């Protein structure tokens, strides 16, 4: 990394071996992750913003696993039960997430089918795997570098909310298509379990403390 | 690769002579720096994980307030005006965002109704209101109002749960889904909601959290 050159020119890294970054914890300080202020290690509450201070939220790892497990559990019925109940004059049809996407693709809407599949299948499953991987990587040696793992965390945090798309689609369709006898669309039970799955996985990602990624052994390439 | 002018290290490791109120710890990786405010329009990033730490903008407080008030006004219209309208065989039905929220009200889905209302209407409006409450006294050079730190922290905690932009993409998907079932027209609220999303984006991107926290802190207020 070219940045290391910038850093080593600074006055502060004298006497430091290997690592060129000093963390708040190294200095006996605890940092507020909400407002970035630092305090002496034994401070409990940030006087600037009122957040609870923890040098590392290491005990929250249990919460990560707990939220993640409920998230996965909720995701199963979300795929088995219908998301949408469509009723037209003579036909009544229940469709699950995947069936709905396939149906759109058959009508030629490949782009939209792709959006639905990515948002409701690829992203949730990718998130489950990524969060589990990140949590496991804190305890054991993994191949992926700290930088990569941190990037993975940022992607998971950013992209997780987008899985809500399908829930909103159901809400829009069910309110819009209410034409008495001719056509009506109503939400199925999967709408609620899917929404819960998204919310729980978001909570899992938010409970994860990315600072713990950086406590691990330094990468060879760094 | 980010250009070096955007990526100056905030400083190297903290010099012993400045106090902890001048220090800043990266919330993502705990790296400790001396906070040096970059030139207006430039960003100071963490040298280790590239998280943006300080990004001052000219007249940012006033601009953020203007955006936040715009969000609140647009949201009233976007919620109650018709959003989309369907026509099938002479029958028509128009739905507002308010109707979309009420889509789940029947039966056991009430919780989902509340969640959708919160995610697409209440939380975005609440964040805007909190930000105005926090920033207004600061722009006119007064001391912050009571509970301003608490209010700003709440606004920040709610940030990942504000999902208006996801709702708009959900609309696009919903439109395609029913385009072969019915004829769909856009209502005025559709465009209001679209612009609302842009304004929320502008509000969040022109806000430098560190500057605001610093201004709220009685110890470091300039």
């Amino acid at each position: 990394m070219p940045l290391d050159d910038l850093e080593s020119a600074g006055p502060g890294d004298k006497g430091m071996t290997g690592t060129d970054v000093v963390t708040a914890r190294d200095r006996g300080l605890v940092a507020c992750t909400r407002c970035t202020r630092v305090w002496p290690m034994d401070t409990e509450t940030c006087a600037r913003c009122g957040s609870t201070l923890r040098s590392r939220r290491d005990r929250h790892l249990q919460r990560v696993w707990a939220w993640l497990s409920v998230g996965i559990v909720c995701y199963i019925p979300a795929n088995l039960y219908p998301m949408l109940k469509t009723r037209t004059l003579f036909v009544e049809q229940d469709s699950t997430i995947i069936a709905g996407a396939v149906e759109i693709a058959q009508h030629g809407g490949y782009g939209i089918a792709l959006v639905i599949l990515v948002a409701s299948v690829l992203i949730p499953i990718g998130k489950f795997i990524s969060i589990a991987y990140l949590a496991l990587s804190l305890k054991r040696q993994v191949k992926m570098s700290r930088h990569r793992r941190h990037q993975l965390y940022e992607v998971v945090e950013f992209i997780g909310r987008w899985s809500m798309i399908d829930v909103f689609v159901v809400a829009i369709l069910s309110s819009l298509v209410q034409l008495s006898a001719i056509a009506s669309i109503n939400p199925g039970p999967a709408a609620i379990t899917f929404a819960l799955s998204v919310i729980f996985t978001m909570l899992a990602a938010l409970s994860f403390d990315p600072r713990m990624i950086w406590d691990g052994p330094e990468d060879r390439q760094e | 690769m980010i250009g070096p002018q955007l990526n100056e290290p905030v400083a190297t490791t903290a010099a012993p002579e400045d106090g902890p109120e001048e220090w800043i710890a990266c919330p993502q990786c705990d790296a400790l720096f001396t906070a040096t405010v970059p030139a207006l329009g430039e960003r100071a990033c963490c040298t280790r994980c590239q998280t943006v730490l300080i990004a001052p903008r000219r007249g940012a407080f006033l601009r953020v307030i203007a955006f936040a008030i715009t969000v609140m006004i647009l949201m009233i219209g976007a919620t109650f005006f018709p959003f989309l309208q369907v026509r099938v065989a002479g029958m028509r039905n128009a739905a507002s965002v308010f109707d979309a929220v009420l889509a789940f009200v029947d039966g056991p889905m009430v919780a989902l109704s509340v969640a959708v209302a919160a995610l697409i209407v209440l939380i975005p409006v609440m964040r805007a209101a909190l930000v105005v409450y926090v920033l207004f006294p600061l722009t006119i050079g007064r001391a912050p109002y009571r509970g301003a730190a608490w209010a700003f922290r709440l606004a920040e905690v709610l940030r990942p749960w504000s999902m208006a932009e996801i709702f708009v993409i959900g609309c696009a998907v919903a439109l395609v889904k029913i385009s072969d079932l019915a004829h769909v027209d856009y209502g005025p609220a559709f465009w209001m909601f679209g612009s609302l999303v842009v304004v929320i984006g502008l509000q969040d991107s022109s806000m430098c959290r560190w500057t605001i926290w610093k201004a709220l802190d009685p110890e470091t207020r300039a």
Side-chain angles (χ1 to χ4, degrees), chain B residues 56-163:
Chain B
R57 298 277 176 278
R58 192 186 302 279
F61 286 5
L62 206 60
R63 228 195 307 172
V64 172
I65 289 181
F67 287 140
I69 291 173
T70 316
V71 166
M72 289 190 278
I73 294 170
L74 277 175
M75 189 61 98
I76 297 170
T79 308
F80 295 102
F81 284 130
F83 192 71
L84 294 172
Q85 178 177 280
V86 280
R87 276 183 291 153
V88 190
M91 295 194 69
R92 57 169 62 216
N93 186 37
S96 62
V97 173
F98 194 64
D99 296 323
V101 162
L102 294 180
F104 301 116
V105 155
D106 304 330
M109 301 268 184
V110 188
L112 203 54
S113 250
V114 176
V116 170
L119 295 174
I120 61 181
V121 179
L122 300 180
I123 291 180
V125 167
M126 203 170 144
R127 286 193 68 226
L130 288 169
V131 163
V132 171
Y133 179 82
V134 169
L135 291 186
F136 178 70
L138 300 179
T139 40
I140 55 170
R142 298 259 199 93
Y145 292 141
R146 277 188 67 174
W150 182 85
F152 190 52
R153 188 156 57 95
L154 182 62
E156 285 294 283
V157 169
L158 290 177
R159 197 172 169 205
W161 305 99
S162 160
M163 299 193 179

Side-chain angles (χ1 to χ4, degrees), chain A residues 176-197:
Chain A
L176 197 58
V177 188
Q178 293 297 346
L179 301 157
S180 57
I182 296 174
S184 72
I185 294 182
N186 286 301
I192 203 156
T193 49
F194 188 81
L196 284 175
S197 173

Side-chain angles (χ1 to χ4, degrees), chain A:
Chain A
M1 290 285 288
L3 279 173
D4 290 352
D5 306 338
L6 273 174
E7 281 237 310
S8 54
D13 67 337
K14 263 179 238 138
M16 246 152 279
T17 49
T19 48
D20 45 5
V21 170
V22 170
T23 65
R25 187 165 72 169
D26 294 341
R27 282 275 174 141
L29 297 164
V30 55
C32 176
T33 47
R34 185 59 66 193
C35 72
T36 65
R37 182 89 145 83
V38 290
W39 301 96
M41 192 52 109
D42 50 1
T43 318
E44 277 171 9
T45 316
C46 175
R48 179 187 266 179
C49 73
S51 306
T52 309
L53 296 174
R54 286 265 165 70
S55 182
R56 295 292 179 274
R57 295 196 306 255
D58 39 7
R59 259 177 273 155
H60 280 213
L61 209 53
Q62 285 180 18
R63 284 193 209 179
V64 175
W65 285 114
W67 288 127
L68 184 63
S69 325
V70 239
I72 294 173
V73 168
C74 287
Y75 188 67
I76 298 166
N79 275 284
L80 297 179
Y81 287 97
M83 192 87 170
L84 274 182
K85 295 177 170 177
T86 315
R87 197 172 49 78
T88 47
L89 269 181
F90 307 106
V91 197
E92 202 171 332
Q93 190 191 9
D94 290 357
S95 51
T96 58
I97 294 172
I98 295 178
V102 169
E103 201 184 313
I104 290 179
Q106 280 166 350
H107 284 80
Y110 294 108
I112 293 291
L114 197 70
V115 169
I116 296 176
L117 283 179
V118 167
S120 334
V121 181
L122 206 65
I123 292 180
I125 293 179
K127 259 187 87 175
F128 298 146
I129 297 171
S130 307
I131 295 174
Y133 176 80
L134 287 173
L136 286 173
S137 78
L138 300 177
K139 295 282 160 73
R140 63 195 69 191
Q141 198 76 30
V142 287
K143 275 214 183 106
M144 201 185 270
S145 73
R146 297 191 296 184
H147 278 283
R148 282 260 169 267
R149 275 184 285 147
H150 186 244
Q151 280 166 359
L152 178 66
Y153 172 74
E154 285 186 323
V155 169
V156 164
E157 221 194 358
F158 173 78
I159 227 165
R161 318 153 60 236
W162 286 91
S163 305
M164 269 309 210
I165 278 189
D166 230 24
V167 177
F168 293 148
V169 170
V170 173
I172 296 162
L173 290 180
S174 337
S175 58
L176 197 58
V177 188
Q178 293 297 346
L179 301 157
S180 57
I182 296 174
S184 72
I185 294 182
N186 286 301
I192 203 156
T193 49
F194 188 81
L196 284 175
S197 173
V198 177
I199 289 171
F200 290 143
T201 358
M202 276 178 74
L203 289 170
L206 289 170
S207 310
F208 187 83
D209 188 349
R211 291 176 297 184
M212 288 162 70
I213 295 175
W214 295 96
D215 291 338
E218 209 167 327
D219 315 326
R220 255 158 275 135
Q221 316 90 292
E222 262 182 73

Side-chain angles (χ1 to χ4, degrees), chain B residues 6-218:
Chain B
L6 292 177
N7 207 24
E8 296 296 350
V10 185
T12 48
T13 43
E17 59 266 20
D18 49 15
E21 61 277 351
E22 298 298 320
W23 297 349
I24 180 171
C26 173
Q28 295 281 325
C29 77
D30 209 31
L32 189 66
F33 304 99
T34 304
T36 318
V37 185
L40 286 172
E42 285 189 4
R43 304 186 302 172
C45 303
C46 172
T47 54
R48 180 155 72 165
C49 70
Q50 317 301 336
T51 304
V52 179
L53 298 175
I54 309 175
R57 298 277 176 278
R58 192 186 302 279
F61 286 5
L62 206 60
R63 228 195 307 172
V64 172
I65 289 181
F67 287 140
I69 291 173
T70 316
V71 166
M72 289 190 278
I73 294 170
L74 277 175
M75 189 61 98
I76 297 170
T79 308
F80 295 102
F81 284 130
F83 192 71
L84 294 172
Q85 178 177 280
V86 280
R87 276 183 291 153
V88 190
M91 295 194 69
R92 57 169 62 216
N93 186 37
S96 62
V97 173
F98 194 64
D99 296 323
V101 162
L102 294 180
F104 301 116
V105 155
D106 304 330
M109 301 268 184
V110 188
L112 203 54
S113 250
V114 176
V116 170
L119 295 174
I120 61 181
V121 179
L122 300 180
I123 291 180
V125 167
M126 203 170 144
R127 286 193 68 226
L130 288 169
V131 163
V132 171
Y133 179 82
V134 169
L135 291 186
F136 178 70
L138 300 179
T139 40
I140 55 170
R142 298 259 199 93
Y145 292 141
R146 277 188 67 174
W150 182 85
F152 190 52
R153 188 156 57 95
L154 182 62
E156 285 294 283
V157 169
L158 290 177
R159 197 172 169 205
W161 305 99
S162 160
M163 299 193 179
E165 73 274 27
I166 300 168
F167 184 75
V168 169
I169 305 294
C171 278
V173 175
L175 276 182
V176 177
K177 258 193 154 166
I178 47 169
S179 56
D180 56 329
L181 188 73
H183 185 87
V184 189
D185 296 317
Y186 302 97
F190 184 85
W191 306 110
M192 287 175 119
F193 218 89
S195 41
L196 185 78
V197 167
V198 175
V199 179
I200 292 179
L202 288 170
Q203 179 199 321
D204 276 332
S205 63
S206 43
M207 199 154 60
C208 173
R209 271 100 196 150
W210 182 82
T211 313
I212 297 174
W213 281 122
K214 196 167 184 260
L216 289 177
D217 189 345

